[in-house]
């Protein structure tokens, strides 16, 4: 596994813990982080966030962006790197698209 993938994996694991246990915002709801992409110089991280309830998406993204500084500070405390990347949260529609396709296929079978 190359270093970029390893760093992305560490960031993903730590972000899940930070968001779940330390960010006290009721607008977040239940989220998952299916993927994290880190730039080659480790200065930027694109975090793909998936909301299980589609109507929580807008408020959830606002809450994440509002808490971005706190989340990055907590991430810095947990990582053994000189530089902690700037975080960019992006909505991942993969789960929602998968659900729509599954429902379409179920309707075609009937």
């Amino acid at each position: 596994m190359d270093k970029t993938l390893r760093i992305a994996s560490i960031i993903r694991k730590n972000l899940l813990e930070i968001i779940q246990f330390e960010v006290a915002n009721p607008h977040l709801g239940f989220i998952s982080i299916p993927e994290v992409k880190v730039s080659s110089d480790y200065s930027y991280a694109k975090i793909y966030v998936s909301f299980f309830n589609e109507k929580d998406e807008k408020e959830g993204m606002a809450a994440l962006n509002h808490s971005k500084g706190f989340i990055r500070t907590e991430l810095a405390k947990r990582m053994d790197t000189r530089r902690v990347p700037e975080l960019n949260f992006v909505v991942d529609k993969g789960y929602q698209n998968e659900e729509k396709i599954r429902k379409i296929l179920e309707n075609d079978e009937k």
Side-chain angles (χ1 to χ4, degrees), residues 1-8 42 81:
M1 182 186 289
D2 76 334
K3 188 174 180 180
T4 306
L5 290 175
R6 194 171 72 243
I7 295 286
Y42 311 115
T81 58

Side-chain angles (χ1 to χ4, degrees), residues 13-44:
K13 176 188 165 288
N14 286 316
L15 284 177
L16 283 169
E17 290 175 4
I18 292 167
I19 291 169
Q20 184 176 13
F21 298 115
E22 297 184 32
V23 176
N25 193 319
H27 297 294
L28 278 176
F30 191 69
I31 66 169
S32 71
I33 301 175
E35 186 176 11
V36 173
K37 290 185 179 178
V38 181
S39 65
S40 58
D41 64 351
Y42 311 115
S43 59
Y44 296 97

Side-chain angles (χ1 to χ4, degrees), residues 55-89:
K55 59 186 170 193
D56 292 341
E57 191 174 290
K58 188 175 181 181
E59 289 178 340
M61 285 303 291
L64 282 174
N65 286 318
H66 178 74
S67 304
K68 195 183 292 190
F70 171 78
I71 294 169
R72 188 173 182 210
T73 301
E74 290 300 311
L75 184 62
K77 292 176 186 176
R78 298 168 185 233
M79 292 186 64
D80 284 339
T81 58
R82 271 187 293 157
R83 184 183 308 173
V84 175
E86 184 178 319
L87 306 177
N88 182 20
F89 294 101

